[in-house]
Amino acid sequence: MPFGRNERIRFSKIYSLSCFRPSTSDEHGQIGQKGYSRVVYCNDPENPEALQLRYRGNYVSTTKYTAVNFIPKSLFEQFRRVANIYFLVVACVSFSPLAPFRASSILFPLLVVIGATMAKEGVEDWRRRKQDIKANNRKIHVYRDHSFSQSKWKDLRVGDLVKVHKDEYFPSDLLLLSSSYPDGICYVETMNLDGETNLKLKHAFDFTSSLHDDNSFHKFKAVVKCEDPNEDLYSFVGSLSYNGQQHPLSLQQILLRDSKLRNTEYIYGVVIFTGHDTKVMQNATDPPSKRSKIERRMDKIIYILFTTLISISFIGSIFFGIRTSRDLNGSYGRWYLEPTRTTALYDPKRPVLAAFLHFLTGLMLYGYLIPISLYVSIEMVKVLQSIFINQDQDMYHEETNRPARARTSNLNEELGQVDTILSDKTGTLTCNSMEFVKCSIGGVAYGRGMTEVELALAKRKNLGQVEADVGDNSGSHGQKVIKGFNFRDERIMGGQWVNEGNSDVIQKFFRVLAICHTAIPDVNKDTGELSYEAESPDEAAFVIAARELGFEFFQRTQTSISLHECENGKKVDRSYELLNMIEFSSARKRMSVIIRNAENQLLLLCKGADSVMFERLSKESQPFEDQTKNHINKYAEAGLRTLVIAYRPLEEEEYTKWEQEFLKAKTSVSVDRDDLVDAAAEKIERNLILLGATAVEDKLQKGVPECIQKLSNAGIKMWVLTGDKMETAINIGYACSLLVQGMKQIVITLDSHDITALEKLNDREAIAKASRESIKKQLMDGRSQLDLAKSSAVLFGLIIDGRSLTFALEKSLESLFLDVAIDCSSVICCRSSPKQKALVTKMVKEGTRKTTLAIGDGANDVGMLQEADIGVGISGAEGMQAVMASDFAIAQFRFLERLLLVHGHWCYRRIAMMICYFFYKNIAFGFTLFWFEAHASFSGQPAYNDWYMSFYNVFFTSLPVIALGVFDQDVSARLCLKYPMLYQEGVQNILFNWPRILGWMFNGVLSSMIIFFICKNSTIHQSFRSDGHVIDYEILGVIMYTCVIWAVNSQMALSINYFTWIQHFFIWGSIFFWYVFLIIYGYLNPAWSTTAYRVFTDACAPSPFYWMTTLLVVVATLLPYFMYRSFQTRFHPMFHDEIQRRRSEGSECEGEVPDRVKDKMEHLSERMKHSHSHREM
C-alpha cells in the first residue's frame, strides 16, 4: 500500500531525530519571567483569566497607510524632499504682497506634482491591501460549540482549536496536537519562511497524538506558557500543562504561519501566536532603503541650484537696494515710482529693508530654477522602465513560466553602473537539480560520458577526444529523460550488473541507496507514476538511481520499508524491518539506518561525507579503499558531489545492548541528552565495510559560461561565494568561464602542515595568531605577484577558503585582502557561510565605493542581497526567500546579461540624460527671468505671465523629457550585447559626471543669454506692429517664452538618438499646445488672462517679425550644442558615437572596439582606479 494512504506508521519508534527531543534548555526555567510571559488557554475561550488577556487578533496588514493616516503620512513623505518644502514655503508666501505673481499660479503645479505622487503611492498601497484582504479572508476549520466549522483567518483568536487539511497553509503559529498519523507526525513545507523546499518533520506529544477525530476534543483543555512574540524562526521555549502535568515544548511541536501542510491528510492544532505576533510577521521588516548613486548626486545638484537661487536673489537685492537709495539723492532718475510715497517694499529712506524684502521676492521669482516636476517625472519614468523590464520576452523562462520582475523601480539606472557581481553558486550558477551521473562500487568506476566541468578540464588540457565525447554527453540516446538520473553504463544498466565480478557488492550498494533515506513515495492516482518527496535533491537522486538500476523503493509501513528488486530477471518484492534511524546533521555529516532483512540478519547501512566515513571503516583489509579514494578525488575535480556508502553486519547481542543504551539516551531529560545520543550513535557507527561512493552533478544552468564571459568583456568583475570545497569550486570556475586558461591563481588557504600541527595541540590563541600571520604573508605574496605582472597582460584569479576568509575580513587584513581582490579578474570564496557572504559584500561595496550587485537563490543569500547596492534573486528550486528580499528577480542566471548590458545601459543613459536636460531647461528658463530683471532695475517684475510660468514644467516641457527617459536608445539591444564594452560608460559614469552636468548647466545659461539678448536687442528699438507701435512688456514676454519653448524642445530633438512617433508627438505637440494655450487663455476675461489678453492673436501672430525672431533665436540657441556635438563625434567620440557611425556606414561587423575609444576607456578606468587608491591613502 502506498505511503500516502497509510495511516498506521509510527516513525517515532525508529527515528532518533532531534525533532522528537523535548528541549531541556535552561531557558525553560525562565517561563513566567520577562520575555517569557505569554499564557494561552487552549480550547477554553470562556475562562475568566483568558478573557482578561488582550492579545492581538489574527488580522494582518502589510500596507504602508491606512484610511486615517494616508493623507498626513503621505504628505509627510512628500515634504521630506527639500525641493517640495521650498515650493510649499513659496506657495504660502505667495499670498503676501511680496509675491511677484498670483498665489494660484504657484499652488497649481505644486498640487499637481504632490497629487500625482500621492496617487501613485495610494495605488501601490491598495494593491498590497488587496493581497491582505485575500489572506485575511482565507477559510479555516475552527472548533467552536463542540464542532468544527469554517471561519475566516482574521477571526481566529489565541487559544482556538483548528483543523488544517493537506496542502493548506497554517493561519497562525500553532501548537501541534495530533495528525492523521497515529503517532502525531506531519510534514511541513517552509518555503515561504526560509526558502527551502525540503519537507520538515514535526511531531506531537504522545499524550495528545491519540486525539484523532473531531469528537476527541469535547473535554480537551490545556494551558501553554511560553516565550513572548519574537522573530527567531529556529527556537521556541514553552511548556504545556495537561492533565496536571508539565511538558516542555520545542520548535518541533510548533507549526509556523505561512508554512504548508504536505503529505499529511490533516492536523489539529492550538493557536499560540496570531497576526503580527507570529514569527513570520515578526520577521517581516522592511528591506533596507536603497538609493542610486545618480539620485544621491541629483540631491547635490539641487543644492547647487538652491545656492544659485540664493546668490542671484542676493545680487538682485543688493542692486535694488543701491538703486533705491539713489532715488532720494535729488536726481529723481525714477520719478515715476514717486519716491516720496513709499511702502515697505519700496522705501528709499530704508533701502536695507527694501533690499531684504526684495531678496524674499527674488527667492520666489527665481524658483523656476528648481525643477518642481523632476521627482515625479523620474518616478513615472522608472515605473515605465520597470514595466519594459517585466515585459521583456527575452528574459522570460518558458519552462517555469517566470518572467523577469523589477520588484523596485528605484534602482533601474544602477543596473547600468555595476562594477562587481557577487554570486552564489548552487542554484544560481547551477540548477540545484541533482543528477546521479557516476559511482564507484567495489573499486570499479561506473558512469560514461563527461560532465560540463570535465569538458572544461579537457579543453584546458587540449585532449584530442573532447569533441567525440561532447556529442555523447547528453544522456542515453532515444531514452526517456528521468529527472535526477543521468547515468549511462551498459555494464550495470538493464539488470546487467549480475554479470559483473563484484555483483554482490553492487547489490548491497544499491540496497543501501534504496533503504538509507527519509524519502516518501507518492503514487500519482491518475498516471500511476511513482515519485518521491525527499529532504534534499541529493537524496531524491539516490532513490531514483536505485529504482532505475533495479531496486525500487515503493512502500513504507510502521516499521518496514519495501522494495521491488530484480532477481534472475524477475521482479521480487522484499521487505526490510526498520529498527532505528540515526539522522543526518551538519555536525555528523552522515546518516544510518538499522534493519533486519528476510534472512533475519541485522545490518547497519550508512552513507556520509568522505571526511567522516573513512575514519570509521574497519581496520581490517578494505581491498578497494585506495581506488575509491582516487575515484572520489577525480569526481571532486569534475565538480561532482560525493558520498561514501558503507554497511556493517550486527550481532544480536551487540545490537540489544546498544539499543538499551540508545533508548536510555533518547529518554534522558538531562542537559547533556544530545551528547548522550550522539555518543551512542558513535558506538554503533564503526568498523564499517566500504561498498563504494556516489557522485551527483549539479549542472550549470544554460548559458552561464557565455553570460559570465560577456559580463567579463563588459569590464564587470565577478566574485563567487560558495559553500563548496576548493577543488570543486575551482573546477566549476573553469566550467563557467570564471577562470580561464592561462589565468594565474592566487590561492589563500590554511591547509598547511604548521597550522595542522597547532590544531592537534588545541591551542586556540596560537592557532589564531599563526593563521593570521599565514594569511597576511599569502596576501602580501599575492600583492607582489600582481605588482610584477602590471606591465603584462596576465590575468589573475583569487581563491580563498572559508577559514582564511574569517581572518581576511578582520580590520587588520581587510584592506590588504580587498586591494589584492580588486586587482584580480575573478574571485572565488569557498566554504563561505551566509554571514561571510554579507560581510564580503559589505567590504566590496564600502571599499570600492562602486556599485555592487549580489545574486542568489536561497534563504542563505538574503543577507548578501540586502547588503549589496542591487540584489537580484533567482526564482529557482530553493523557494522564494531570496526573491522576496531582492530588488530584481530573474528565472535564470543568463538573463543577468540582458538585464545589465541592455536594460541597465539604457536606463542609466536615459535617467542621466533626463536629469541633465531637466536642469538645462530650467536654467535656460530661470535665467531669462534674471536677465530681464537686471534690465528692469531689479524691480522684481517677472518677464512672463503667471500661468506661463506655472505651466512651463507641468505641460510645455515635461512630456518630451518623460519620453526621453522611457524610449531613447543610443544603440539597439543587439548592439549592446555585441559591444559589451559600451557598458563601461555607466560604470565610469561618463554620462553623469560633474564636467557633463556643469556643461549642461552652462549650456542653459548660454541659451538664456542668447534668447534674452537677441529678443531684446532685435525688437526694442523698432516698430513691431503694422501701425507703427513698438514692442511692449507683454509682447516681449510672449516672444521670449516662445523662443524658450522652441529652444528647449528642439534641444531635446537634437539629444535624442532613437525617435518613435511618441517622441515626435510629445516634442512637437508640446510646442503646438503652447500656441493653443496662448489663444484660449488670451480669450479669457482680462481679469483672468491679464497680460496675455489677446496678445497672440492681435499682436504676435500677424507680425512676420515675431516668426522671424523666433526662428533666428532658436537656431542661434541650438548652434553651440550642435557644434560641440559635431566636434566631439568627429574628433573625440564616445563609444556609442563610434558604434552609431559604424552602423550608419554599414560597417558595424568589422572589428570589435575602435582603438581610440578603447584607449580612452582604459585611460578613464585607470584614472578611476588611481583616484580610488588616492582616497584610501
Side-chain angles (χ1 to χ4, degrees), residues 122 248 521 544 697 827:
I544 291 169
E697 179 183 19
V827 179

Side-chain angles (χ1 to χ4, degrees), residues 787-808:
D787 292 338
L788 290 172
K790 270 188 176 178
S791 57
S792 65
V794 178
L795 297 176
F796 283 85
L798 176 66
I799 298 101
I800 183 169
D801 61 26
R803 291 170 61 205
S804 304
L805 194 58
T806 302
F807 294 99

Side-chain angles (χ1 to χ4, degrees), residues 76-87 113-114 117 121 295 299 374-376 379 410:
F76 173 76
E77 291 289 330
Q78 298 309 311
F79 289 111
R80 289 172 64 184
R81 290 171 172 166
V82 179
N84 286 348
I85 292 177
Y86 164 75
F87 284 110
V113 170
I114 297 297
T117 309
E121 291 275 329
E295 194 172 343
D299 289 345
L374 174 60
Y375 288 106
V376 69
E379 285 183 7
N410 294 336

Side-chain angles (χ1 to χ4, degrees), residues 99-291:
F101 33 66
R102 286 174 292 183
S104 56
S105 64
I106 189 63
L107 272 175
F108 176 76
L110 179 65
L111 291 175
V112 168
V113 170
I114 297 297
T117 309
M118 288 177 65
K120 171 180 169 286
E121 291 275 329
V123 170
E124 290 178 351
D125 213 50
W126 174 247
R127 289 175 183 163
R128 287 191 287 267
R129 178 166 176 75
K130 286 200 295 185
Q131 292 177 346
D132 292 342
I133 292 172
K134 183 179 179 181
N136 287 319
N137 288 310
R138 285 177 178 169
K139 302 293 185 181
I140 185 70
H141 288 85
V142 184
Y143 190 76
R144 286 177 186 155
D145 299 327
H146 305 295
S147 65
F148 281 93
S149 59
Q150 276 201 343
S151 180
K152 295 178 180 178
W153 277 26
K154 64 181 180 182
D155 296 328
L156 279 184
R157 298 169 298 185
V158 172
D160 278 348
L161 185 63
V162 299
K163 183 179 183 180
V164 181
H165 292 85
K166 183 179 178 180
D167 294 329
E168 289 183 349
Y169 289 98
F170 300 122
S172 57
D173 290 352
L174 307 176
L175 168 64
L176 175 62
L177 296 178
S178 63
S179 74
S180 55
Y181 296 110
D183 51 353
I185 68 160
C186 70
Y187 294 91
V188 175
E189 182 185 273
T190 59
M191 188 175 72
N192 287 341
L193 302 182
D194 55 17
E196 296 181 10
T197 55
N198 308 329
L199 300 185
K200 310 292 191 302
L201 195 62
K202 300 288 184 175
H203 189 262
F205 286 119
D206 291 339
F207 53 84
T208 62
S209 61
S210 59
L211 304 171
H212 278 302
D213 54 64
D214 296 0
N215 299 320
S216 306
F217 295 95
H218 289 316
K219 297 181 180 179
F220 173 78
K221 284 183 173 55
V223 178
V224 173
K225 295 181 179 179
C226 65
E227 63 189 21
D228 293 337
N230 62 77
E231 72 281 358
D232 191 347
L233 292 171
Y234 304 106
S235 74
F236 181 82
V237 178
S239 66
L240 174 67
S241 297
Y242 182 62
N243 288 338
Q245 293 185 340
Q246 290 272 355
H247 306 275
L249 295 172
S250 73
L251 188 65
Q252 298 310 317
Q253 287 87 45
I254 302 300
L255 306 173
L256 301 181
R257 179 188 172 110
D258 283 347
S259 301
K260 183 188 281 189
L261 184 64
R262 295 289 302 276
N263 293 93
T264 311
E265 292 303 319
Y266 59 84
I267 64 98
Y268 294 103
V270 171
V271 176
I272 302 297
F273 295 120
T274 51
H276 288 273
D277 286 345
T278 59
K279 288 186 180 286
V280 67
M281 294 306 298
Q282 291 280 312
N283 276 274
T285 55
D286 292 329
S289 177
K290 296 181 180 180
R291 298 184 70 206

Side-chain angles (χ1 to χ4, degrees), residues 756-1031:
T756 305
L758 284 172
E759 286 174 345
K760 290 179 180 178
L761 298 175
N762 202 25
D763 187 343
R764 291 188 177 182
E765 290 186 9
I767 293 170
K769 183 178 179 181
S771 299
R772 204 170 284 112
E773 291 174 355
S774 175
I775 299 302
K776 184 176 181 179
K777 183 179 183 301
Q778 292 178 68
L779 288 172
M780 294 292 288
D781 292 342
R783 180 70 267 171
S784 300
Q785 291 183 54
L786 290 166
D787 292 338
L788 290 172
K790 270 188 176 178
S791 57
S792 65
V794 178
L795 297 176
F796 283 85
L798 176 66
I799 298 101
I800 183 169
D801 61 26
R803 291 170 61 205
S804 304
L805 194 58
T806 302
F807 294 99
L809 291 173
E810 291 180 352
K811 290 295 181 185
S812 58
L813 294 176
E814 186 180 81
S815 60
L816 177 59
F817 171 52
L818 179 63
D819 185 48
V820 172
I822 60 176
D823 280 346
C824 294
S825 301
S826 304
V827 179
I828 299 177
C829 300
C830 315
R831 297 293 192 189
S832 304
S833 67
K835 185 177 181 180
Q836 285 179 326
K837 290 182 179 183
L839 289 173
V840 169
T841 305
K842 182 180 181 181
M843 177 192 71
V844 176
K845 181 179 73 172
E846 295 180 352
T848 62
R849 298 184 187 176
K850 295 180 183 178
T851 304
T852 56
L853 180 147
I855 179 168
D857 74 316
N860 60 336
D861 301 317
V862 168
M864 177 174 72
L865 298 184
Q866 292 188 336
E867 188 62 56
D869 293 303
I870 306 169
V872 177
I874 301 282
S875 49
E878 288 195 32
M880 299 298 287
Q881 193 79 350
V883 169
M884 297 303 289
S886 68
D887 305 302
F888 297 88
I890 54 179
Q892 295 275 289
F893 182 86
R894 69 178 186 272
F895 297 148
L896 191 64
E897 175 186 341
R898 186 172 180 86
L899 184 66
L900 297 187
L901 302 189
V902 178
H903 291 284
H905 172 72
W906 283 347
C907 290
Y908 163 74
R909 179 180 181 79
R910 290 164 178 170
I911 295 295
M913 287 291 297
M914 179 183 174
I915 295 172
C916 287
Y917 176 78
F918 240 109
F919 291 126
Y920 157 77
K921 73 182 183 67
N922 276 64
I923 288 173
F925 179 66
F927 267 85
T928 58
L929 293 168
F930 178 73
W931 306 130
F932 179 84
E933 201 204 4
H935 280 70
S937 299
F938 291 100
S939 60
Q941 174 67 42
Y944 310 116
N945 182 281
D946 298 356
W947 288 101
Y948 297 174
M949 294 191 288
S950 296
F951 281 16
Y952 179 77
N953 277 315
V954 178
F955 293 116
F956 300 140
T957 60
S958 60
L959 292 180
V961 76
I962 290 174
L964 167 74
V966 176
F967 298 107
D968 193 36
Q969 299 175 12
D970 54 346
V971 298
S972 66
R974 180 180 63 84
L975 293 177
C976 284
L977 297 173
K978 179 180 175 63
Y979 298 101
M981 194 68 180
L982 179 64
Y983 187 79
Q984 280 295 307
E985 287 189 348
V987 177
Q988 297 171 24
N989 205 17
I990 291 173
L991 302 178
F992 203 65
N993 53 29
W994 282 113
R996 190 172 181 86
I997 294 166
L998 296 175
W1000 273 99
M1001 288 182 170
F1002 173 76
N1003 188 27
V1005 174
L1006 184 62
S1007 296
S1008 70
M1009 294 174 68
I1010 293 171
I1011 290 168
F1012 175 79
F1013 288 104
I1014 292 182
C1015 286
K1016 180 184 79 73
N1017 293 330
S1018 63
T1019 58
I1020 203 78
H1021 298 299
Q1022 54 188 323
S1023 61
F1024 181 75
R1025 302 188 189 184
S1026 57
D1027 57 4
H1029 278 83
V1030 295
I1031 197 169

Side-chain angles (χ1 to χ4, degrees), residues 304-318:
I304 290 174
L305 291 181
F306 269 120
T307 304
T308 304
L309 168 64
I310 293 169
S311 299
I312 62 176
S313 299
F314 183 70
I315 292 170
S317 66
I318 290 176

